[in-house]
Amino acid sequence: MEFQGLFPVWNKLTAAHQQLLSETTVPRTLGKGAVLHDGSADCAGLVLIKSGQLRAYILSEDGREITLYRLLDHDICLFSASCVMRSVQFEIMISAEKDSEVFILPPYIFKKVMEESAPLANYVNELMATRFSEVMWLIEQIMWKSVDKRLANFLLEEATLEDSDVLRLTHETIANHLGTAREVVTRMLRYFQNEGYVKLTRGAVEITDRSGMEELIDQ
């Protein structure tokens, strides 16, 4: 699939804008672990994900991470072009969780077309609202839900993403996603194992009782 097929408003753009995007959008391959965007001072441009999986996260002053959301096949990464939107500045990191193929639209081209095209500007506003909703949902989870429920929800979501009940995740990696300490995750996973929800092996967590974890989340 070429990038035109990943651009939701492609058919609403003028022929001149379509030509400009076709001439300036470039493909890029990201290896697992590659950092695509490194805070508000960085400006990669608008990123369209052809395949793979990216992670948007923030860092605390002491280096602790917390995942904001994931970007999957055919998603669009807006905040990698945050420099275009001067009133919106985010210290968001974006890295590849899996080998990924993306298309990158340079920020100055993105800015030009967005200023001239109402369909693109409207789409960007809708996408921004969606991302803010995801971040607000995360804040609600952190404020009102206990760690055990957040951990259970994360493991079930991860199993859906990987299409497997065996998750190749270290306790440190899980802690980074949840924005908590590794020791907290280790203690909670051992509790989950005692309750029969999971089975722990070196470098992996196997979900053994989905329904039990779902009941825990709903309590």
Side-chain angles (χ1 to χ4, degrees):
M1 176 183 290
E2 294 304 312
F3 82 93
Q4 293 91 336
L6 305 176
F7 222 99
V9 294
W10 180 260
N11 293 330
K12 296 180 180 179
L13 300 177
T14 65
H17 286 152
Q18 289 179 345
Q19 181 178 356
L20 180 61
L21 296 180
S22 296
E23 292 174 348
T24 56
T25 300
V26 295
R28 182 176 171 186
T29 298
L30 301 173
K32 181 179 179 180
V35 175
L36 176 65
H37 181 67
D38 187 12
S40 62
D42 189 14
C43 197
L46 189 71
V47 178
L48 300 90
I49 295 89
K50 180 179 180 181
S51 63
Q53 183 171 308
L54 307 183
R55 173 189 176 222
Y57 60 100
I58 55 177
L59 287 171
S60 67
E61 291 184 357
D62 61 357
R64 185 172 295 177
E65 301 176 6
I66 184 167
T67 299
L68 298 179
Y69 51 83
R70 260 69 170 270
L71 295 155
L72 308 175
D73 294 2
H74 305 170
D75 276 341
I76 290 181
C77 184
L78 178 63
F79 292 139
S80 55
S82 59
C83 60
V84 171
M85 299 162 282
R86 292 299 180 185
S87 60
V88 181
Q89 296 295 321
F90 295 94
E91 293 296 333
I92 289 181
M93 311 285 290
I94 300 169
S95 63
E97 287 194 304
K98 298 179 179 179
D99 292 343
S100 303
E101 293 184 27
V102 303
F103 293 102
I104 299 179
L105 176 62
Y108 64 94
I109 298 295
F110 174 47
K111 183 176 187 293
K112 172 181 171 58
V113 177
M114 187 172 65
E115 289 176 346
E116 298 175 356
S117 172
L120 179 58
N122 291 337
Y123 175 72
V124 167
N125 288 335
E126 292 174 3
L127 185 58
M128 189 180 299
T130 298
R131 296 303 179 214
F132 272 126
S133 295
E134 291 173 344
V135 172
M136 288 304 298
W137 178 87
L138 175 63
I139 292 173
E140 290 178 355
Q141 298 298 301
I142 294 172
M143 291 181 64
W144 307 120
K145 286 206 171 183
S146 57
V147 175
D148 58 344
K149 292 183 179 182
R150 290 179 59 216
L151 176 58
N153 190 72
F154 169 77
L155 293 176
L156 291 175
E157 286 185 347
E158 194 72 14
T160 299
L161 280 175
E162 299 298 328
D163 194 26
S164 172
D165 283 339
V166 179
L167 309 176
R168 302 295 176 183
L169 294 168
T170 65
H171 297 189
E172 183 72 29
T173 298
I174 296 172
N176 286 340
H177 280 291
L178 297 179
T180 189
R182 179 185 57 79
E183 294 78 10
V184 173
V185 170
T186 296
R187 184 167 63 249
M188 196 58 63
L189 284 173
R190 287 173 179 168
Y191 165 72
F192 278 14
Q193 181 167 250
N194 291 337
E195 293 295 310
Y197 299 150
V198 302
K199 178 182 178 181
L200 303 179
T201 54
R202 186 174 181 82
V205 179
E206 180 182 357
I207 297 175
T208 53
D209 185 1
R210 279 177 169 264
S211 60
M213 293 175 70
E214 290 168 352
E215 290 176 6
L216 172 63
I217 293 170
D218 292 336
Q219 287 177 3

